[in-house]
Amino acid sequence: AQTVTQSQPEMSVQEAETVTLSCTYDTSESDYYLFWYKQPPSRQMILVIRQEAYKQQNATENRFSVNFQKAAKSFSLKISDSQLGDAAMYFCAYKGNKLVFGAGTILRVKS
Amino acid sequence: EAGVAQSPRYKIIEKRQSVAFWCNPISGHATLYWYQQILGQGPKLLIQFQNNGVVDDSQLPKDRFSAERLKGVDSTLKIQPAKLEDSAVYLCASSPRWGNTEAFFGQGTRLTVV
């Protein structure tokens, strides 16, 4: 069975600084996708970034980038130049035969 | 493009009552998911449809929960009878193809069982 583990229940970052959220996963599938979703208090899930497992190059979307280590089954999210609007719950998700989510990390941004 | 539509947004019921949630996915999306998200936790997959067939329902409490997807489009999730521990947000999501691209989420239905 596929599992996703986020070991940081909560993280804090100062505005304009950089923070990294951790995620590991377990799977026996060879073809899959990985995602980071953001969920603000409104509960609307918003896609932040995605990574295809067959691509070695790490995905980047503006201030958001990932460090994908396939052999280690690790998929961390780096947020640069943090902004107050980045404060939310962040979920790591694995998509193979099923779409499975981690427990989430609450990100707080201090001004 | 219209997003995933869910209704109702909020529902309060007493335990042992029944309740139904409705989801209309993005047009043309073959895969539809129902998740249960308890406050402070990650979404738990209840059931996944590919068109109108069930791909996975291993975590669906089948003694009280049921779901269907008519004609491979809209879907309903029903709980009968509800328990206090069913209080959660129920999220519906859809994606264009099985195993490819991200899932798009609706705004969810917040269920409170009293």
Side-chain angles (χ1 to χ4, degrees):
Chain A
Q2 298 82 30
T3 59
V4 177
T5 302
Q6 293 181 249
S7 58
Q8 305 155 316
E10 188 171 328
M11 293 285 284
S12 292
V13 63
Q14 201 69 32
E15 199 175 2
E17 295 191 343
T18 297
V19 64
T20 299
L21 308 184
S22 301
C23 172
T24 59
Y25 60 95
D26 190 27
T27 184
S28 58
E29 296 176 321
S30 57
D31 184 23
Y32 55 88
Y33 293 77
L34 296 164
F35 305 95
W36 279 97
Y37 280 89
K38 170 184 177 181
Q39 189 181 47
S42 68
R43 294 285 192 136
Q44 179 70 54
M45 284 284 200
I46 302 165
L47 179 70
V48 174
I49 197 166
R50 74 162 114 178
Q51 175 79 43
E52 292 88 346
Y54 61 85
K55 289 187 177 179
Q56 291 185 331
Q57 186 174 7
N58 290 325
T60 299
E61 289 287 343
N62 300 313
R63 298 183 295 108
F64 300 87
S65 61
V66 299
N67 183 1
F68 174 46
Q69 302 291 326
K70 190 172 183 178
K73 295 179 181 172
S74 170
F75 182 61
S76 61
L77 173 70
K78 185 171 82 171
I79 306 174
S80 304
D81 186 25
S82 297
Q83 301 174 0
L84 294 176
D86 294 334
M89 179 78 101
Y90 285 79
F91 291 101
C92 178
Y94 168 98
K95 188 174 185 220
N97 288 331
K98 298 190 295 186
L99 178 58
V100 179
F101 285 81
T105 298
I106 298 172
L107 178 65
R108 304 192 192 280
V109 182
K110 302 174 184 177
S111 59
Chain B
E1 179 182 74
V4 176
Q6 288 188 249
S7 67
R9 288 294 310 279
Y10 305 93
K11 190 75 176 178
I12 300 174
I13 62 172
E14 295 183 348
K15 59 184 179 183
R16 291 187 289 274
Q17 286 187 324
S18 63
V19 64
F21 312 128
W22 174 81
C23 174
N24 180 233
I26 293 173
S27 178
H29 281 196
T31 307
L32 186 146
Y33 312 85
W34 281 104
Y35 289 88
Q36 180 193 58
Q37 186 177 22
I38 293 172
L39 186 64
Q41 298 183 15
K44 181 179 94 171
L45 179 64
L46 293 176
I47 189 166
Q48 177 178 332
F49 292 95
Q50 176 73 5
N51 296 310
N52 61 350
V54 176
V55 172
D56 186 276
D57 63 357
S58 57
Q59 297 195 92
L60 187 73
K62 299 180 184 65
D63 58 334
R64 298 185 301 107
F65 286 64
S66 64
E68 61 179 2
R69 189 179 185 194
L70 298 175
K71 300 180 181 179
V73 183
D74 291 7
S75 178
T76 56
L77 176 69
K78 296 179 182 177
I79 307 175
Q80 183 179 9
K83 293 184 176 182
L84 296 176
E85 59 260 36
D86 298 331
S87 294
V89 174
Y90 291 83
L91 296 168
C92 179
S94 69
S95 63
R97 284 177 293 173
W98 186 25
N100 199 351
T101 73
E102 72 271 23
F104 296 82
F105 283 80
Q107 291 187 296
T109 296
R110 185 186 298 272
L111 173 67
T112 302
V113 182
V114 298

